[in-house]
């Protein structure tokens, strides 16, 4: 079967019977009520695979549209117990071999949704559906390595005498929001750093009283989003043309997603102001008891006062004070210089290759090509970093004292 050519009914009212039993269907054909119910029952939170978020990405975000759904069904009438948005390997990595890859949902987490009460069956059904779709392997991008979803998949594979392969992994910052915020910040930053940040905040207050605002309602979120988009576009992302507001499809996706999620109480936008001036803003998603810090925008004219750090301190206090939230995923790059010193918890995030048949030479070929691509990517990044450092050195040598 051509794993890129499976089609089916579309729309939020598509009937479960039209989808059940089919290995791959268009993402928009997944019945919306069943998807949302699965999100509520998911063994592991992933706000980036919430229906309202991923459907907005799939509809508008350039390079991320046209995903398919690998679905696990149970019973009659069919019940959705597992869901993994996917794209073919050739589309994800330019490798023309039969494999399916986690669709990238803009956020840096692709952990599939498994029913917490049926996680083992859901994992088994996803593997079966993958085989039925013609795939020889699954590639899971950016999954929580130590979470219950990977545990369920690994246990299922072990039963079939199969073993997943970790392609790469890294730790990223997370917050234990069950703790007292002031104690946590004192332990993370130390008294000297906190004193310096208080001094910067007092200097920022010379431009107007410093306040922290949380937008929750759809109207509040829509207004706060425009502030965020303006701040993000005013910084280095704007200079590189990569701010959300500068790409029409990205702007359409984020406006639709935040509006829809705010209606369900799953999106907040936090803003730090000096008087009437917004100096920093961030988008925060919620799924079950976890928050996800999606993006941060700052007014770089106030850089000397560390507005991004000041906002993150207030967000930390806000999340720790919320009994509904026990943890927060920074969804940031590894070794992020701003968030890592503040949120000292760590999540192990991995890319994994899951074989679907024992001793399959095609899987070995896929594995080798992925590792070669990864090595080439790292080499290119090292060259780029060297060129940029040389340019900076040249400028510093030729600049007047």
């Amino acid at each position: 079967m051509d794993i890129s050519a499976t089609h089916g009914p579309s729309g939020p009212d598509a009937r479960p019977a039209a989808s059940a039993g089919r290995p791959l269907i268009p993402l928009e054909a997944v019945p919306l009520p069943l998807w949302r119910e699965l999100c509520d029952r998911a063994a592991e939170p992933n706000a980036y695979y919430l229906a309202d978020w991923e459907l907005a990405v799939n509809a508008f975000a350039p390079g991320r549209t046209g995903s398919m759904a690998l679905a696990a069904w149970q019973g009659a009438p069919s019940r959705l117990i597992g869901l993994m948005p996917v794209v073919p390997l050739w589309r994800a990595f330019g490798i023309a071999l039969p494999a399916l890859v986690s669709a990238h949902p803009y956020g840096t987490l692709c952990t599939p949704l498994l029913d917490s009460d049926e996680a083992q069956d859901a994992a088994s059904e996803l593997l079966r559906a993958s085989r039925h779709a013609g795939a020889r392997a699954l590639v899971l991008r950016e999954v929580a390595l130590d979470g219950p979803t990977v545990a369920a998949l690994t246990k299922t594979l072990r039963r079939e005498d199969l073993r997943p392969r970790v392609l790469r992994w890294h730790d990223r910052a997370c917050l234990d929001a069950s703790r007292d915020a002031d104690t946590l910040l004192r332990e993370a930053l130390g008294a000297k750093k906190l004193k310096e940040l208080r001094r910067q905040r007092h200097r920022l207050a010379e431009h107007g009283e410093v306040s922290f605002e949380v937008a929750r309602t759809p109207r509040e979120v829509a207004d706060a989003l425009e502030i965020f988009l303006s701040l993000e576009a005013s910084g280095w992302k704007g200079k590189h043309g990569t701010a959300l507001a500068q790409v029409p499809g990205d702007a359409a996706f984020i406006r639709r997603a935040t509006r829809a999620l705010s209606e369900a109480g799953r999106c907040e936008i936090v803003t730090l102001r000096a008087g009437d001036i917004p100096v920093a803003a961030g988008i925060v998603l919620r799924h079950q008891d976890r928050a996800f810090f999606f993006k941060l925008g700052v007014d770089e004219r106030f850089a000397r006062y560390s507005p991004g750090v000041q906002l993150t301190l207030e967000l930390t206090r806000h999340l720790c004070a919320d009994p509904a939230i026990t943890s927060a995923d920074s969804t940031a790059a590894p070794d992020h210089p701003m968030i890592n010193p503040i949120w000292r918890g760590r999540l192990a995030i991995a890319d994994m290759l899951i074989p679907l048949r024992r001793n399959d030479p095609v899987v070995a070929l896929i594995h080798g090509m992925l590792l070669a691509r990864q090595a080439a990517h790292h080499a290119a990044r090292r060259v780029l970093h060297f060129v940029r450092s040389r340019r900076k050195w040249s400028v510093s040598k030729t600049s007047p004292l």
Side-chain angles (χ1 to χ4, degrees):
M1 179 184 294
D2 180 359
I3 61 176
S4 66
T6 305
H7 299 283
S10 62
D13 297 323
R15 296 180 61 186
S19 304
R22 305 189 64 185
L24 282 176
I25 57 174
L27 196 64
E28 63 272 16
V30 179
L32 194 53
L34 299 187
W35 189 344
R36 287 175 171 162
E37 289 171 7
L38 175 59
C39 289
D40 292 339
R41 303 190 310 270
E44 191 170 348
N46 181 1
Y48 300 120
Y49 277 167
L50 290 171
D52 292 315
W53 181 272
E54 177 61 359
L55 286 173
V57 172
N58 192 59
F60 297 109
R64 292 176 169 88
T65 60
S67 298
M68 305 295 286
L70 190 64
W73 304 92
Q74 184 185 73
S78 295
R79 181 169 178 252
L80 185 64
I81 61 171
L83 182 69
M84 177 178 168
V86 294
V87 295
L89 183 65
W90 66 262
R91 179 176 168 187
F93 299 121
I95 299 173
L97 290 172
L100 292 168
V101 182
S102 307
H104 211 281
Y106 226 108
T108 54
L109 188 66
C110 302
T111 301
L113 301 172
L114 301 182
D115 190 310
S116 59
D117 293 330
E118 310 287 348
Q120 206 67 59
D121 288 344
S124 180
E125 279 299 301
L126 287 181
L127 298 181
R128 185 199 62 78
S130 302
R131 296 185 185 102
H132 187 38
R136 306 289 278 273
L138 276 178
V139 180
L140 304 184
R141 292 192 279 192
E142 295 180 310
V143 295
L145 189 57
D146 299 324
T149 301
V150 167
L153 285 165
T154 302
K155 187 174 181 180
T156 300
L157 290 167
R158 193 179 299 122
R159 286 179 180 173
E160 301 178 17
D161 198 23
L162 295 169
R163 178 177 296 180
R165 307 178 189 182
V166 174
L167 300 170
R168 61 178 180 178
W169 73 278
H170 66 270
D171 284 332
R172 76 171 174 223
C174 66
L175 170 70
D176 180 359
S178 66
R179 298 189 57 199
D180 174 72
D182 290 331
T183 301
L184 186 149
L185 292 172
R186 189 165 55 249
E187 291 176 358
L189 296 172
K192 183 177 180 180
K193 181 61 176 179
L194 285 173
K195 182 178 180 180
E196 171 61 16
L197 288 168
R198 284 193 297 269
R199 185 192 69 80
Q200 291 179 346
R201 184 183 176 102
H202 291 150
R203 292 291 306 278
L204 179 60
E206 294 173 4
H207 298 270
E209 182 181 358
V210 177
S211 61
F212 176 74
E213 301 173 355
V214 182
R216 295 185 177 89
T217 69
R219 182 69 265 167
E220 291 172 347
V221 165
D223 291 342
L225 176 64
E226 298 308 313
I227 293 171
F228 167 84
L229 292 175
S230 178
L231 286 172
E232 187 191 39
S234 72
W236 66 268
K237 288 187 179 180
K239 294 182 179 69
H240 288 83
T242 58
L244 289 169
Q246 294 175 301
V247 182
D250 288 345
F253 129 68
I254 196 63
R255 288 187 175 110
R256 170 173 154 176
T258 53
R259 180 179 65 251
L261 288 175
S262 65
E263 290 172 354
R266 285 177 162 165
C267 175
E268 297 177 342
I269 298 183
V270 293
T271 306
L272 191 74
R273 292 179 180 270
D276 294 330
I277 306 170
V279 297
I283 299 174
V284 180
L285 309 181
R286 291 168 169 251
H287 184 201
Q288 297 180 356
D289 62 349
R290 186 171 299 169
F292 297 80
F293 195 179
F294 173 55
K295 277 186 180 292
L296 172 69
V298 301
D299 188 332
E300 293 183 357
R301 297 174 301 171
F302 295 86
R304 71 183 67 180
Y305 311 119
S306 304
V309 174
Q310 301 288 354
L311 177 76
T312 303
L313 297 182
E314 292 297 336
L315 175 61
T316 301
R317 296 183 180 103
H318 168 63
L319 294 175
C320 287
D322 188 339
I325 297 296
T326 62
S327 66
D329 185 344
S330 69
T331 66
D335 303 318
H336 193 281
M338 189 279 287
I339 197 73
N340 276 29
I342 304 172
W343 290 5
R344 291 300 183 96
R346 295 294 180 264
L347 284 173
I349 303 296
D351 292 353
M352 300 179 67
L353 175 65
I354 294 181
L356 298 174
R357 295 172 175 82
R358 287 192 297 274
N359 304 317
D360 188 347
V362 176
V363 175
L365 184 58
I366 292 170
H367 188 211
M369 294 186 74
L370 287 172
L371 291 181
R373 184 185 182 278
Q374 185 174 302
H377 177 70
H378 288 164
R381 291 192 66 177
R382 285 196 297 270
V383 170
L384 181 60
H385 178 74
F386 174 77
V387 170
R388 286 176 174 171
S389 65
R390 293 292 295 177
R391 284 177 181 171
K392 290 179 181 178
W393 181 85
S394 297
V395 169
S396 65
K397 291 294 284 184
T398 57
S399 296
L401 295 177

